[in-house]
Amino acid sequence: MRGAFPLPSLVSMTGWETTMEARDADLKKELDATLATRRELGEEYESALVDSFLEKVDQRIDGVVERRVRRQFAEQQMVAARDARSPRATDSWGERFGFGIVSLVLAVPLSAIGAGTAHLPGLIVSWVGIVGVNAVQAARSHPGLFGTRRRSSKDSDWEE
């Protein structure tokens, strides 16, 4: 009778196979009891017995689906809560690109002024300033860039 009832193939196709394997023995017992009851009562009660068995199967599947939906919803809420707490870059790629271009464009006259007035030390000071401004901008855009470790999604909230 196993081939006549498509539950194992349906369970395998939907991904519930691992969850339902533990309950397969219970379903088999229920099916055996339903078939034994049909033999005792006769064919006139067959549709009621099948409906009753299918209702039990539906209840079990609904329970599994409900647990999975609750778990996924809880996981999504946890991810959303973690994302809300984590620092984010407030500027877009275009702003970072524009800052880099402006920095390079201003580097030319600043280098000329620094080298023209104080020669090599003036040039070095101007480039240290340019690099410093870009480092601050990079640190603001990417908080974990210069050695401070950002929490990964695997870190636990209990370890704080």
Side-chain angles (χ1 to χ4, degrees):
M1 189 72 188
R2 187 171 177 97
F5 190 71
L7 179 65
S9 62
L10 174 67
V11 170
S12 297
M13 287 173 43
T14 58
W16 294 336
E17 186 171 10
T18 57
T19 306
M20 294 296 287
E21 281 177 358
R23 297 184 181 179
D24 257 357
D26 293 336
L27 286 175
K28 185 169 179 358
K29 288 178 186 176
E30 290 285 339
L31 182 59
D32 289 342
T34 301
L35 291 173
T37 305
R38 182 199 171 269
R39 281 187 220 111
E40 290 177 14
L41 296 177
E43 290 185 19
E44 57 269 3
Y45 292 102
E46 183 174 333
S47 65
L49 291 171
V50 169
D51 288 342
S52 172
F53 177 74
L54 289 177
E55 187 174 325
K56 290 176 186 178
V57 170
D58 283 343
Q59 288 172 354
R60 290 204 179 151
I61 291 174
D62 288 344
V64 170
V65 169
E66 185 176 343
R67 281 191 299 274
R68 284 189 178 185
V69 167
R70 284 183 185 173
R71 183 177 36 212
Q72 287 178 348
F73 184 69
E75 288 173 358
Q76 287 175 351
Q77 285 181 329
M78 287 175 52
V79 167
R82 285 182 181 158
D83 284 346
R85 288 191 325 230
S86 66
R88 291 186 179 164
T90 56
D91 54 357
S92 68
W93 181 85
E95 291 176 17
R96 291 190 310 262
F97 183 73
F99 188 84
I101 295 295
V102 168
S103 175
L104 286 175
V105 167
L106 291 178
V108 172
L110 288 174
S111 297
I113 293 170
T117 56
H119 303 291
L120 184 61
L123 181 65
I124 291 173
V125 168
S126 64
W127 274 98
V128 166
I130 292 166
V131 169
V133 168
N134 281 288
V136 169
Q137 173 66 16
R140 190 179 71 82
S141 298
H142 305 287
L145 187 63
F146 294 110
T148 56
R149 187 175 87 84
R150 291 180 71 179
R151 286 179 49 160
S152 69
S153 61
K154 294 179 183 177
D155 289 344
S156 171
D157 287 339
W158 298 104
E159 296 175 351
E160 290 182 348

